[in-house]
Amino acid sequence: MTASLVLTMLVAAAGAATPTPPATAVTPGDPALARADAAAAALTTELLGRLRTELDAGGPAKAIAVCSEVAPAIAARLSRDGLTVRRVGTRVRNPANTPDPFEAAVLARWQEALGRGVAPKEDAAWVEAGGVRTLRVMRPITTGKLCLACHGPAATLAPAVRAALAERYPSDRATGYREGELRGAVSVTVVP
């Protein structure tokens, strides 16, 4: 199943239950946007640093613990004072990283743009739902060479990686990526 088909199905399924709220533009220099950008950058920088360290020390099979244990802890630490940061995927490994309707719609737009040769870039919008105005910011995660050790084609993964993934994520769908492919996003929500 192609990534775009999966995204289309996610958007359709999510949209049937909860429509994506209307969005309005974000003003450059908005303090909420600055907070969101700082949180997204902090999560990305710290997570990549921890992944590189673990890959160097213990290899890809040991690095899986970083994504399953350390990444959620970093996200939880950064999520405070009305700000929530998390990772979402186009094909999820951890069900907690399943995109909500807004996130699924952005991922689908990015996937469609990639099909036209346009690289995804940060997406930010104010949305209102249930009388609450919320800033939604998403930064694309593309599959880099580092990612392929655990997210590449299943047949090319080391046996220890396949075993670790099967143990931690029995319903894993986050393999089969190629370098440069959209893998997901860092998603930040700010309720001022």
Side-chain angles (χ1 to χ4, degrees):
M1 191 176 296
T2 68
S4 58
L5 177 59
V6 170
L7 285 172
T8 301
M9 290 169 51
L10 276 171
V11 171
T18 309
T20 303
T24 57
V26 177
T27 307
D30 187 315
L33 180 60
R35 284 186 66 210
D37 284 341
L43 176 64
T44 303
T45 301
E46 190 171 342
L47 181 56
L48 284 175
R50 293 290 300 269
L51 277 170
R52 285 188 179 106
T53 299
E54 195 58 45
L55 281 167
D56 291 344
K62 298 289 185 185
I64 292 168
V66 173
C67 286
S68 69
E69 298 167 14
V70 176
I74 295 168
R77 181 174 39 80
L78 295 170
S79 297
R80 63 182 185 278
D81 301 324
L83 182 144
T84 305
V85 62
R86 70 191 205 111
R87 296 171 304 143
V88 297
T90 57
R91 299 191 298 263
V92 296
R93 175 162 282 165
N94 178 345
N97 296 341
T98 301
D100 67 20
F102 178 87
E103 294 160 337
V106 172
L107 290 170
R109 278 196 315 271
W110 285 346
Q111 192 66 45
E112 189 271 330
L114 274 170
R116 295 187 329 267
V118 177
K121 60 181 182 172
E122 181 174 291
D123 192 295
W126 284 100
V127 298
E128 188 165 332
V132 178
R133 187 171 183 250
T134 304
L135 177 64
R136 302 296 307 263
V137 178
M138 289 181 59
R139 281 193 178 174
I141 298 172
T142 55
T143 307
K145 190 172 267 186
L146 179 71
C147 307
L148 295 176
C150 298
H151 291 283
T156 67
L157 300 179
V161 170
R162 287 197 303 266
L165 289 174
E167 180 183 325
R168 286 185 187 263
Y169 304 106
S171 300
D172 181 27
R173 294 183 17 237
T175 59
Y177 287 97
R178 295 179 316 273
E179 190 171 356
E181 189 174 4
L182 179 66
R183 199 163 53 77
V186 172
S187 180
V188 184
T189 304
V190 182
V191 180

